[in-house]
């Protein structure tokens, strides 16, 4: 485990996100280029852009990630499952799935578990569940984490970025609930190197951000 900021190589922890509704093919190509250049873990794009990203990153280190049920999580389980399966067919190997927050608040853990488990089992890929921490109470966070852990999720993700941003407290809370058995992705409002480092020291193992290049340059790692 990292203990000092200078020990942390941020780039391999970054999921370089392009989740702008009006993103173009040129913008997708740019984030794929940046992901390879800076050595990021993955690019995260909408399902409509997965095939292009997969073609551009074929045989290259960055993985292709996409979002499912984004940004509200309120689509049906059947729609989420189809969206996930199609994304994998198009080349995605990581899926950031927004959970149904209404189910969590109603205590419908069986539905939540079944939805996440079906996606995990059907696709066989890395599933990161998005919890939207700022909208859940402590008790609801615990319920959601337990269901998603049991369903086979590989990561707990703090936010979509649409309803609040990642905090050190969020990451520490997920670390407390999930332990060492699951990855933690901090996402939402990560804008500079110091903030990124603090989240990693708190327990984050991935960072979702659209500002990856700026964060790396902020550290002064690359020469301009």
């Amino acid at each position: 485990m990292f203990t000092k900021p200078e020990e942390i190589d941020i780039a391999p922890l970054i999921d370089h996100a392009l989740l702008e509704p009006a993103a173009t093919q040129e913008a997708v190509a740019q984030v794929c280029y940046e992901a390879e250049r800076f050595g990021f873990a993955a690019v995260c794009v909408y399902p409509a852009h997965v095939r292009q990203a997969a073609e551009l990153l074929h045989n290259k280190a960055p993985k292709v990630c996409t979002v499912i049920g984004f940004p509200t999580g309120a689509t049906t389980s059947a729609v989420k499952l189809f969206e996930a399966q199609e994304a994998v067919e198009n080349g995605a190997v990581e899926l950031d799935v927004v959970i149904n927050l209404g189910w969590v608040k109603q205590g419908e853990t069986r539905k939540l578990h079944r939805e996440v488990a079906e996606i995990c089992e059907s696709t066989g890929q890395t599933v990161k569940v998005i919890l939207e921490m700022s909208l859940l109470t402590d008790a609801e966070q615990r319920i959601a984490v337990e269901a998603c852990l049991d369903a086979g999720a590989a990561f707990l993700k703090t936010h979509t970025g649409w309803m609040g941003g990642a905090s050190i407290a969020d990451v520490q809370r997920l670390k407390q609930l999930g332990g060492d058995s699951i990855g933690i992705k901090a996402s939402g409002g990560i804008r500079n190197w110091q903030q990124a480092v603090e989240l990693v020291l708190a327990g984050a193992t991935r960072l979702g951000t659209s500002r990856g290049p700026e964060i790396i340059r902020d550290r002064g790692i690359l020469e301009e």
Side-chain angles (χ1 to χ4, degrees):
M1 182 65 185
F2 302 116
T3 57
K4 299 178 182 179
E6 58 268 24
E7 295 176 350
I8 301 174
D9 185 3
I10 290 293
L13 306 179
I14 288 178
D15 285 1
H16 192 25
L18 176 64
L19 296 173
E20 295 293 331
T24 63
Q25 289 183 336
E26 290 76 13
V28 173
Q30 180 65 24
V31 296
C32 289
Y33 164 76
E34 291 169 347
E36 183 184 15
R37 179 191 172 196
F38 289 90
F40 295 151
V43 297
C44 186
V45 296
Y46 277 114
H49 301 302
V50 164
R51 187 181 295 276
Q52 180 192 0
E55 291 172 352
L56 290 171
L57 292 173
H58 181 64
N59 288 332
K60 297 178 181 178
K63 299 175 182 178
V64 177
C65 173
T66 194
V67 287
I68 304 298
F70 191 88
T72 69
T75 50
T76 66
S77 294
V79 169
K80 287 184 187 177
L81 182 60
F82 176 83
E83 191 175 31
Q85 291 170 333
E86 183 181 51
V88 170
E89 290 173 2
N90 287 337
V93 297
E94 297 192 349
L95 306 168
D96 285 19
V97 180
V98 188
I99 64 171
N100 189 312
L101 298 172
W103 286 349
V104 176
K105 290 186 173 296
Q106 293 163 194
E108 298 188 80
T109 55
R110 290 185 180 179
K111 287 183 179 180
L112 175 61
H113 179 277
R114 182 169 61 248
E115 180 175 273
V116 175
E118 284 180 347
I119 293 173
C120 291
E121 293 168 6
S122 175
T123 65
Q125 302 299 331
T126 298
V127 171
K128 310 185 198 106
V129 289
I130 306 177
L131 301 173
E132 210 71 281
M133 295 284 283
S134 60
L135 300 184
L136 300 177
T137 66
D138 286 355
E140 290 163 353
Q141 290 169 6
R142 181 178 295 278
I143 289 170
V145 167
E146 289 176 352
C148 292
L149 279 171
D150 191 54
F155 281 80
L156 303 170
K157 181 175 172 181
T158 61
H159 294 87
T160 60
W162 288 52
M163 299 291 292
S167 68
I168 291 173
D170 290 331
V171 172
Q172 291 174 333
R173 174 64 171 164
L174 290 181
K175 183 70 174 177
Q176 175 192 22
L177 294 174
D180 297 325
S181 62
I182 194 165
I184 297 172
K185 179 174 175 178
S187 185
I190 305 173
R191 295 182 173 86
N192 58 62
W193 184 83
Q194 184 61 41
Q195 185 183 12
V197 166
E198 290 172 354
L199 290 166
V200 172
L201 290 175
T205 55
R206 284 285 187 93
L207 303 170
T209 178
S210 61
R211 300 176 183 247
E214 292 94 324
I215 289 171
I216 301 304
R217 293 189 182 106
D218 186 46
R219 178 68 171 89
I221 292 176
L222 294 183
E223 295 180 1
E224 292 296 308

